[in-house]
Structure formats: C-alpha cells, structure tokens
Amino acid sequence: MLDTQFIPKDSESSIYEFWLKHDLFKADSNSKAPTYTIVFPPPNVTGVLHMGHALTCTLEDILIRRKRMQGFNTLWLPGTDHAGIATQMVVERNLMKEEKKSRHDLGREKFLGKVWEWKEKSQETIVSQMKKMGGSFDWSRLAFTLDENVSLAVRECFLRLYNEGLIYRDTAIIQWCPRCHTALSDLEVKFKETPGKFWHIKYRLKGEPSKYLVVATTRPETLLGDTAVAVHPEDDRFRDFHGKEVMVPLVGRAIPVILDTYVDMQFGTVALKITPGHDPNDYIVGKKHNLPIINLMDENAVLNKEAGAYQGLDRQKARLKVLEDLAKQELLVKEENHNHNVGHCDRCGTVVEPKVSAQWFVKAEELAKDAIRAVESKEIRIVPEEWEKTYFEWMRNIRPWCISRQLWWGHRIPVWYCQQCEEAHVGLEAPTVCKKCGETKLRQDEDVLDTWFSSGLWPISTLGWPKNSQDLKAFYPTSVLETGFDILFFWVARMIMLGMKMAGKIPFHTVYLHPMVRDEHGQKMSKTKGNVVDPLEISDRLGTDALRFFLSWNAFHGRDMRVSDEGVESCKFFVNKIWNASRFVLMHFGDVKQSNVDLSNEVNQWIWSRLNHIKEEVNRSLDQYRFFEAAQALYHFIWSEYCDWFIEFIKSKDELEARKAAKESTAVEVLEEAIRLLHPFMPFVTEKLWQEMPIREQSKVSICIASYPAVDNSKKFPVAEERLARVIRLIEQVRTTRGLHQLSPATEISLSVSSLAGDSLLFELSPFKELIKKMGKLKELDFKTQEFPKETHLSIVMRDLKLFIPKSDLGDLTKELSRKRKELQEKTEALRRADEKLRNEKFINSAPQAVKEGVVKQKMDLKREVEALEQYLADLG
C-alpha cells in the first residue's frame, strides 16, 4: 500500500542508488540495437550547477530515457570542462584570500596543483548535483577536458591543422584583457553601449602650423601611438593635405596624411587618426599602407616607455593628462557627448585593450566552409530553425580564431622552441633534439589553448578519437546536441568545424537550442542582482520531479523561461495528484493481476482512445523537441481526463463494485501506461509508483528499461470520444453556471436538455443520465425536444445542445443581476485603462518588456471576462 503522500527528499536518493546498483544507464558499444547518443555540455569546474544546467539536464534526460525505453542503445556521456580563464581566476582569488599569495608566488607547477585540487572538489559537487537532478548518465564514461585521452586528441588536432597550414603563428592585433592577462577571441569580448565623448583635436601641418586637420576620437590617450591621419581620396576639402605630413599633438612626431576609402565622408570630422597598435580597423589600414606599429601599453594596460612623459599612467589617468595638455597647447577644439560600443572581457568585465601581439591562430574561414554546407543541406538541423540565419551570418563572416591564451591552466600548446636557433617543433610529444641544429635544449611554448579548442573536440575526444575505438564506431556521429543559444558560436559551430575536419563526419544530426532561463520578472539572473534561483534548493523543497516538469512545461521555442516558486509548486500539486489517484486505484484494484479490459463499456473506450491519442501527441512533440507540448499533453490527460473525469466516472458505488467484482483492469492498465509515458519527465515518482503496479512488465527490474508505451490503433474509439466529450462539456457547463450563481454544493438544481442536431444526440446522452445528475448535482434531468420561456428559465447554448435551468433554482436573480452589472462595469473600465496604456507611446517606449507583456496579458484576460459577463447577462434577460 502506498504512503499517504510522496515525500521526495525521503525517496529520491534511494531510488537513484537503486538505478546505479542495477547498472541501468550503461551503454554497450557492442550492442546490435540502434544507438542514440548525447554528449552533455560539460559544466565548468568553477562552482556549482545553475538553473541553465538544470534545464539542460532535464531536457536531455527526457530524450535519453524515452529512447532507452524504446529499446535504443543509449549513451548519455557526462563530463566537466576545465574552463581555462574562469577556473584560473577563481583559484587565484581563493589563493589570495586564504594565503595572501599570487600564482607567481607559488610558481607554475605548485599553482597547477592547487587548481587540480579545486577541480576534484568541484567535479565531485557537480556530479552529485547531476545525480540529484535524476540524470541517467553513463557514469563509467565520466570525462574531463584535461583527461589524458582528451589531451592526446587536442595535440593530434593541433598537429594536423598545423601541418595543413590551418594553424599558424602571427603577430597581429588581438583583444587583450588587462585583468586576466591574456589574449581573447572575438567571441570572448562583449560590447556594451557606453556613454563617452568625441574629442576634436588639431593636427598641425608640418612646416605650416597655422594650417591643421581636425580629428575626432573617443580615445585621446592613444594619439601617442598614431602613425598616420587618413582622409578619403575623393574628399575635396583635404586636397591641400594630400602627400603631406602633420604633427602628432604633444609628441611633435611627423606622420603622413594617407588616402583611403575606409574613411566615411559623412561621419565625424572625416579625418581619421590611424593607431595600428590599438585599434583593429586601424591595424588593417596600417598593414595596407605599411605603417609602423607603436605598442603603447603593457599587459596591465599601463602606458610604457613609448608614451614618453605619460609612461606609468593607466589608460584613464593618461586620458585626463593628455586632455589637460591638449587644452594648455590650444590643440583641443571641442568635446561632445557620444555613446559608443566598448569591448569588455566576457569573464571579468574589464574593458579590453586591442593590442598587437604574437599569437597562434586557426584559419577558421577554411574550416567554416564544410560547416556551412552541413547546415545548408540539412545534414545538421538547427532547432528552432530561425537560428540558422544567425549561424550563417556569423560563419560566412568568420575571422581568424586566436587560440593562444597567456594562462597556466589548460592544454599547453604542443610547440617546442630550440634554445639555440629558435626553430619551432610541433608534435604529440616533446622532442629530444632540434631537427635543425641538433641542440638538445628545447623549451615548450608557455601559452595554453583556448578552452573552446578542446571543447570543440568533445564529441570525438570523449569517444576515443584519434583512435578508431569501438565507442567511436558505435556512437559517432551523436544524435542531438542540446544547449543554450548563447554558445552557438563559442561551442556548437566549433564542434561542427573540428568534428568534420578531424573525423570526416558531422558531430551530431540535430542542434536543439533551449531558451534562456530568467527570474520570475523576466530579468537575467546574476549574483549582483541577488536574483539567482538555485535549482538544488528548489529541488530540496519541492522535489526534483516538480522542478523537471516545470522546466519542460516552460521550454517554449523562441521565448525566454521565467522561473518562480509558484510555478514549480503548481507542478508539485501535479505530483500529488498522480500519487493520490494511484492510491485510489491500488486501494480498489491492487489485486487485479491480469489484463481484463471490458471494451464494450463506452467510458473504457473513451479513456483508452484518449490515451492512444496522447501517446501520439507526446511522441510527435518530443520528436520535434517541443517539450512544452508533450508536458502539457501529459498534464491534461493525467490531471483532467484520467483523474478528474475517468476516476470520477467509475467512483459511484455500483460502478466501482461491479468493476472490482469483475477484476476489470482498465483503471490499472491505463494508469500504468500513463506512468510510463510520464517517466522521462518525472523519473522518481514514476519509479516509485510503477513498482507498486499489479500489472506491469515483471521481467523488468525498473521502469527505466520498461518499454515506452506504443500506440494501439485497435483501442481508438472516435465515437466514444465524441460522446464522452459531449457529456464532459455538459457537466462543465452546469458546474460553471452553479459557480456563477454561487450555489452551495448542497443545492441541487433541475436541468432540461434539448438537441440542436436531432434527437439522436439525446438518445446517445441517455446512458449517462445518472452520471450527469451525480456530477452536476442535479435533482432532475430531462432530455426533451421542447423549449422553455425566457421569463422562467435560463437558456444556455453549447454547440449542439441547448440547456434550460429554472430561474427559481438559481436564487435571488435581482441581486445577482445587480452584482454582475457592477462587475461588468468595473471590468469594462479596467479594460479601457489597459487599452489606453498600450496606446500610450511613452509607456511603450520606456516600460520594461516584462511590464508591457503583463499589461497585454491583463487586457486579453479582461476582454474574455467582459465578453463572458455580457453573454451571461444576455442569457439571464
């Protein structure tokens, strides 16, 4: 017998241990069954799982559990990511806090020992949290991006790309983080619109100081590194300056005036200062015109000796000093407010500094060609499809990928330099001798690879590549890659590029991009805002099943998800509903051990038919990654059709006793199949309930490996569905009317029903007369062809039926009419105000999106309520 209630915290851990004990999640690379593979996006070993990870874990587990139950050889491969910059920053902060030391105080090897200690603790926490979420991972294949087999794959990939000329070392302009002390890829820089200024500065003509060009800049401190001023060749205003030189303000250095169509003749002062060492666009212009490059700043973005008198100042202080000196020398013409996009480090938020530096790059444009074709041909499908456009725009304009990072934690670049002749050696292992001069002393490149380089190999490196392993043959390409849209380019695109190049095949067939998870007000979660929702804390309070069902219910395509306690709590009520329904069924049918379905009974026909339609809907929705549709279909069937209607239909004493005496099994079998349908969404409560079912696959030790319910077309009964749907609509209408008139449950009313589609409908309703009376709390129910006068009866039209209720049964209608008219007046006024607000241009332009959405919803709700009240008052006469 089931307990009175399901208490998640008392059951979840023991259920998970039961699954592990029976080794239910392990994939078999030698199995002949069709494979279904997902590699879990590895969480960073920087802390704990957040709500985005909980969503990923939930959705992927739904896919895996369903396929496992369908007989697939499923592999869900777990792992964690070393997360170079992020983890090094966390450990450095912790080291300074606890020991008051920097990584340089410890040295590279000892510091890396500290990071490995951090990794072990963090990974242990993450794994326990993944288990807490119910993830059915193959833990025997737990991977880490710095595992030896992954490191081998990284070195092999680097070597192959280097030998093909697709990896190269170059001195070029990159984005530099002065806080993290490393180069960044373009994707690791987030641009934010920032209030700033345009300063207009005089550049005097060499030899003719009375003549000058006015140049506008947002970064006056960088003029110390100017090597040219550019004007458009067709701009007649500057013809006198063609081929001449101007003097760099404050420095007194002559620089050429160059002609270039890059200059926009409609913007600013239309004369541009060119600083190749500190601006990506200026760098391109400088290369074109063979301009010298002056690097003004060190790794901390502090001005160096090239800045002369300004050496030792940081960027902001240098700016203030330069502006002060320009004003003193009457070279500052004016300043004006100007908002502009400023690049920030994605990890620490520091303003980045464009800097010319020797780095390693990948020719990403070459790798992108096959990756573009794979999506164009639909060999790889992106869901939702609208993200394909964004993918193509980025891939067709891809730039060289800077892959070297000036960090200690990560995959060391597999390049060794001869200490005698500086010859570079690229290989899988450290060379013992220089191939050029024979020197035996070689030093390895100090830099490490971008984290996303190793992550880009994740689907193949974790399956054994570069070896032709059995896992690789069995499980690659993987089936689906499920992740957030925010790493479509960081990770997904790079997996496609590297997977196709290294393994010769696409890494996955489908990319499903889930929505962004926000707080209940639609705000992005952040520690600084204090609005971070901890999935494990919610799971502890309300249960993992409730949280998982909430996440799947709200995983809409193209719409952000809002997480709230109230939402998860409503899903907890659903868990309780299933539990209580199961208790009822087991209490009355727990001894029904064999299938014995009476399909001559129309109520049985209806519930079996509805079950088979729900099977179709759930399978179709999950095949299309429409998790929200599948969850809502299951909720409606179990809560409404099975619990609220079917169980109520069979609860009358005579009906219940007759079914028990006959050992009729519909109640048990439909519930058992519904539990199996629900299992991928709510694994814990369904396991607990399934083990108690008297009719189930006894040969299966767990619901995890029980068969997923298949559609049975022999149990579809469209006529019974139509008839019972009409009965349900009729009862619902009676209940709605009772509610509108605030009748107490003890008050019974009379009802007459006539047909708008022939007397046959009344004949079809007659077998359900006693059921309708009981559930509608009716003292009398007649099926008649006659109509009743408006003066004495309330008439209600519903599709093919017309209902008549004596007004005398509905209480004092004078008071009721007065109350409803007042309510209509209030609702109409509220609707007018909402409509007025949505027409207000100031509100539309300034109100937060969440507030505007709330008013739109309020207006829609009010409109429905006003229409219902108007119809109700019209019916009452």
Side-chain angles (χ1 to χ4, degrees), residues 177-191:
C177 176
R179 164 63 184 80
C180 299
H181 291 165
T182 183
L184 304 172
S185 71
D186 292 341
L187 283 176
E188 292 169 306
V189 178
K190 297 301 178 190
F191 285 89

Side-chain angles (χ1 to χ4, degrees), residues 303-318:
L303 275 67
N304 58 27
K305 64 181 181 180
E306 296 288 348
Y310 302 94
Q311 182 178 359
L313 298 178
D314 65 29
R315 291 174 292 182
Q316 192 58 37
K317 289 178 180 176

Side-chain angles (χ1 to χ4, degrees), residues 546-560:
L547 175 58
R548 285 172 59 119
F549 199 75
F550 171 84
L551 293 171
S552 55
W553 177 287
N554 289 278
F556 296 102
H557 287 187
R559 204 168 92 191
D560 289 347

Side-chain angles (χ1 to χ4, degrees), residues 6 33 48 173 198 322 326 331 471 477 498 571 619 739 755 798 840 855 859 865:
F6 177 66
V48 297
I173 197 158
F198 252 146
V322 165
L326 287 171
L331 295 173
D471 271 5
L498 294 179
C571 294
N619 279 302
S755 171
M798 42 175 297
N840 186 312
V855 176
K859 178 185 172 182
E865 290 170 7

Side-chain angles (χ1 to χ4, degrees), residues 779-874:
K779 56 187 174 185
E780 291 181 13
L781 173 60
D782 297 316
F783 298 115
K784 296 184 176 180
T785 56
Q786 72 181 89
E787 297 215 356
F788 294 84
K790 196 172 185 179
E791 290 74 22
T792 60
H793 283 71
L794 170 67
S795 65
I796 303 168
V797 175
M798 42 175 297
R799 296 194 193 179
D800 45 14
L801 298 175
K802 193 169 186 179
L803 314 185
F804 296 94
I805 301 172
K807 289 184 177 181
S808 58
D809 284 357
L810 299 174
D812 187 348
L813 291 184
T814 305
K815 287 184 180 178
E816 176 67 9
L817 281 167
S818 175
R819 189 173 66 82
K820 290 298 181 186
R821 284 176 184 140
K822 183 181 179 184
E823 187 180 350
L824 175 61
Q825 186 178 2
E826 291 170 352
K827 299 282 188 188
T828 303
E829 174 59 22
L831 177 60
R832 184 194 65 75
R833 288 197 302 269
D835 187 60
E836 195 174 80
K837 188 174 282 188
L838 291 172
R839 293 173 185 272
N840 186 312
E841 193 172 323
K842 184 178 179 182
F843 173 77
I844 293 299
N845 292 333
S846 62
Q849 186 61 30
V851 174
K852 289 186 283 189
E853 288 175 3
V855 176
V856 170
K857 183 179 184 303
Q858 180 190 35
K859 178 185 172 182
M860 293 169 62
D861 291 343
L862 285 167
K863 190 170 186 294
R864 281 193 293 269
E865 290 170 7
V866 166
E867 290 171 352
L869 282 166
E870 287 174 340
Q871 182 61 52
Y872 175 75
L873 289 168

